[in-house]
Amino acid sequence: AYGDPFVKSAIDVDLLVPEDVVPAAANVLRTLGWRRVMPAFRETPLRRRWYDSVQKDDAFTGGRAKVELHRRLFNNRSLFNPSFDRLQAAAATVAIGTRRFRTLDDADQLLYLACHGALHFWYRLKWLCDFAALVGVMDRETVRRALADGHRAGLGTVLASALRLCREDLQAEIPAAGASAPAPGPRERFVVALSRRVWTPRSGVRRLGPKAAMRMGRGFLAGGLRYRLHEARALLIAHGDFARVNLPDRLFWLYPLVQPALLAQRIFRGRL
């Protein structure tokens, strides 16, 4: 979208592999000298199953770089979860320097950026700029196809809020979106309002309101019982707490009960 990949800063590299290939891919990274940094707890069968059900990736570091090994696009399978085979069949090939890489095609990339930004309520404004920049280089028919696919997948709120933020806050019009955009609704207004709120830096206890709203607000991004159940389960237990409280699997049911104390500890340390 920017013409030159080297004008963009990068925090990490995301690699998507079929879910059943994750253990083998992780072994390849270890063989190459990469070290896993997430999950960062003592693994037990139940902890690992829980982690895999609510988290999309394992993270590795090597030198000054970071790789996230994705088993799916998003933590919540009910948000946007096309099969690996479907994504691979539509994938585009791009050149970076002398090498060529496979990546999501423009339509899938647009939906991915919209979902990723909405899940974080666009707290990094550059994510919204990425979304607008990509739309700016896509042909109208591909934009219309992506938006239509998104609406069929239940991403109406995600797309409508992204388009509205682009239009009103970046002055980036998306002509091809006109006929596909749904009528504004309460969920869209919530996403837009919270996104604008988190763009204002806050410190101390003033951070807690927006942070809590972002965590709880994810439940409004999409409809469906499965989507909301996943969000509730992810709030029930924070996987980082496995490293703080080392309970055996037979006492796994205690983790939700100690959440209030662990949450208070994170707030006190400024890590919420």
Side-chain angles (χ1 to χ4, degrees), residues 99-236:
R99 297 174 180 265
R100 300 180 70 81
F101 299 88
R102 298 285 280 172
T103 187
L104 300 178
D105 79 331
D106 284 352
D108 288 328
Q109 191 79 264
L110 190 69
L111 295 178
Y112 176 81
L113 291 178
C115 291
H116 178 269
L119 281 169
H120 299 283
F121 293 92
W122 304 99
Y123 80 89
R124 289 182 178 165
L125 187 56
K126 69 175 184 178
W127 290 337
L128 188 63
C129 296
D130 288 343
F131 179 87
L134 179 58
V135 175
V137 297
M138 291 171 62
D139 65 82
R140 291 192 177 190
E141 183 54 39
T142 304
V143 174
R144 281 193 288 266
R145 176 168 57 86
L147 295 177
D149 289 346
H151 295 323
R152 283 193 293 270
L155 301 177
T157 296
V158 167
L159 292 168
S161 56
L163 294 170
R164 182 176 169 188
L165 289 168
C166 284
R167 183 176 64 253
E168 297 180 2
D169 295 87
L170 299 182
Q171 288 74 55
E173 289 292 340
I174 303 175
S180 302
R187 291 195 297 181
E188 175 199 340
R189 290 193 291 269
F190 171 78
V191 175
V192 169
L194 183 55
S195 298
R196 290 170 175 163
R197 186 181 178 193
V198 300
W199 288 339
T200 302
R202 290 175 171 83
S203 59
V205 294
R206 297 178 65 233
R207 297 173 62 244
L208 300 183
K211 284 281 189 179
M214 289 167 68
R215 289 288 301 275
M216 301 295 293
R218 290 180 178 179
F220 297 98
L221 293 179
L225 180 60
R226 288 186 179 181
Y227 176 86
R228 294 196 173 100
L229 282 176
H230 178 280
E231 294 304 311
R233 289 180 73 246
L235 287 172
L236 193 64

Side-chain angles (χ1 to χ4, degrees), residues 51-57 71-79 119 218 230-231 234:
Y51 180 85
D52 289 348
S53 71
V54 297
Q55 289 292 128
K56 65 184 181 301
D57 54 40
R71 59 183 64 84
R72 56 185 176 272
L73 293 181
F74 296 102
N75 291 337
N76 194 325
R77 297 176 186 271
S78 299
L79 182 61
L119 281 169
R218 290 180 178 179
H230 178 280
E231 294 304 311

Side-chain angles (χ1 to χ4, degrees), residues 14 68 87 137 213 230 234 237 248:
D14 297 340
E68 291 184 355
L87 291 173
V137 297
H230 178 280
I237 300 175

Side-chain angles (χ1 to χ4, degrees), residues 24-55:
N27 286 335
V28 170
L29 286 174
R30 291 189 185 97
T31 301
L32 295 173
W34 294 77
R35 177 175 60 89
R36 195 186 73 179
V37 293
M38 194 180 80
F41 52 78
R42 181 182 65 84
E43 283 195 22
T44 67
L46 188 53
R47 287 180 180 182
R48 184 71 218 199
R49 286 198 300 274
W50 178 274
Y51 180 85
D52 289 348
S53 71
V54 297
Q55 289 292 128

